[in-house]
Amino acid sequence: MSKTKIIDHKSIAELFADDFLIGAAVSPLTIQKQRDLLTHHFNSITAENEMKFERVHPEENEYTFEKADQIVEFAKNNNLGVRGHTLIWHNQTTDWIFQNQDGSEISRQQLLERMQTHIKTVMQRYKGQIYAWDVVNEAISDKENEFLRPSKWLEIVGDDFIAEAFRLAHAVEPNAALFYNDYNEVIPEKRDKIYHLVQSLLNDGVPIHGIGLQGHWNIQTPEIDWIRAAIEKYASLGLELHITELDLSVFTHDDKRTDLKEPTEEMLALQAKRYKDIFSLFKEYRNYITSVTFWGGADDYTWLDNFPVRGRKNWPFLFDQYHQPKRSYWELADLCMQQGRGGN
Ligand code: GLA
């Protein structure tokens, strides 16, 4: 099949312009390689890695903002919104923040001070340029009978590290929308824990404005009813919802094949149907969902290549390796056209 030009296709952001922002996670490499795709189809971006603690703050007195700056600059030049990801997380966080020079653990007070310095420096650098921040990422446990995930933050500061992070972030930028972000967010047990956490933050008057549903899903699970129930439950807290890291793996949980050179027809068909069902649902809840970000732009690069199965490529997005629309894209275009948004 001959290749079509990216601009020949209706922008996905435009198709959903009445509903929510459409974002993509990017890196310094993809803002070059996927430049035309990103600027045509999306109106929001997130740094996949470049704003994470280890990338911007590798040592106590060293900040490395060059790559994050490039991404924010790209957004500015192309009129794209930016979601900030992420301020406080147990992962991709350098150990220096938890330790004295001799390697011993610092006190609660010291860690809160370091947390404040970090949040302040990062948020101030991009003040006014980021429409929402993931303040805390993945603090809830996946284990039965365990509420918060064990981490250095929890161990040293205690349960209120989450509330403290939100208060500090709000003090730096009172206008920024502040989010709690997590995965497995529609699995009933974890959903209820996330709900409970956010509800108790709200009861304590903590400045939190939204919940981020990561949306690392696949062509079969989780079932739509679970996604709906989670959206309903979170929305009942009266907060904004963002889908923050959407991708639909073509492999179901038990499919560990490594021999495929390209996705099968069946996979592409299922993926297209899933995207359609999922976005129909998102449209139903457009009064709550204000931004939907894919965890990448097109199938030439995804964190799911080699993860969790080594030596396996994945094809989770709306656009293929050559940035051509897949069946999934056309299903979404159809969906929007049926509901009155034109496309070609
Ligand atoms: C989590 C994090 C993201 C990213 C993905 C894998 O979902 O929130 O920042 O690391 O894992 O790419």
Side-chain angles (χ1 to χ4, degrees), residues 48 52 85 89 92 137-138 181 214 216 245 295 303:
E48 181 182 9
K52 290 175 179 172
H85 176 80
W89 192 22
Q92 289 183 267
N137 199 30
E138 305 180 348
N181 189 48
Q214 290 190 3
H216 292 296
E245 306 184 15
W295 208 236
W303 73 292

Side-chain angles (χ1 to χ4, degrees), residues 21-125:
L21 295 171
I22 297 284
V26 303
S27 70
L29 194 68
T30 60
I31 57 175
Q32 294 179 23
K33 292 198 156 169
Q34 299 180 343
R35 162 177 290 273
D36 294 347
L37 179 92
L38 292 169
T39 55
H40 178 64
H41 279 293
F42 299 87
N43 51 16
S44 172
I45 56 174
T46 305
E48 181 182 9
N49 286 299
E50 300 304 340
M51 289 186 189
K52 290 175 179 172
F53 191 96
E54 66 176 9
R55 300 294 173 99
V56 295
H57 201 171
E59 302 282 347
E60 180 156 21
N61 297 311
E62 185 191 354
Y63 286 91
T64 41
F65 282 121
E66 295 75 13
K67 292 181 174 161
D69 286 355
Q70 282 171 29
I71 288 172
V72 174
E73 190 63 25
F74 174 78
K76 214 197 296 176
N77 293 339
N78 294 290
N79 210 14
L80 310 172
V82 183
R83 285 196 89 255
H85 176 80
T86 174
L87 296 169
I88 300 298
W89 192 22
H90 64 281
N91 211 348
Q92 289 183 267
T93 299
T94 332
D95 272 348
W96 72 258
I97 194 167
F98 306 115
Q99 295 173 352
N100 291 304
Q101 295 223 313
D102 64 6
S104 59
E105 212 162 74
I106 60 172
S107 67
R108 166 181 157 93
Q109 199 44 41
Q110 274 175 305
L111 185 53
L112 286 173
E113 282 163 21
R114 288 181 180 182
M115 181 195 255
Q116 179 175 32
T117 310
H118 175 77
I119 290 180
K120 213 167 156 179
T121 311
V122 178
M123 286 185 85
Q124 267 172 358
R125 186 165 188 98

Side-chain angles (χ1 to χ4, degrees), residues 124-143:
Q124 267 172 358
R125 186 165 188 98
Y126 302 116
K127 201 163 180 162
Q129 297 177 275
I130 289 192
Y131 69 90
W133 266 106
D134 290 331
V135 176
V136 176
N137 199 30
E138 305 180 348
I140 294 286
S141 171
D142 293 293
K143 296 199 182 122

Side-chain angles (χ1 to χ4, degrees), residues 22 122 182 237 240 255 278 311 316 325-326 343:
I22 297 284
V122 178
D182 216 328
L237 291 166
E240 241 179 287
D255 186 350
I278 287 170
K326 293 161 63 180

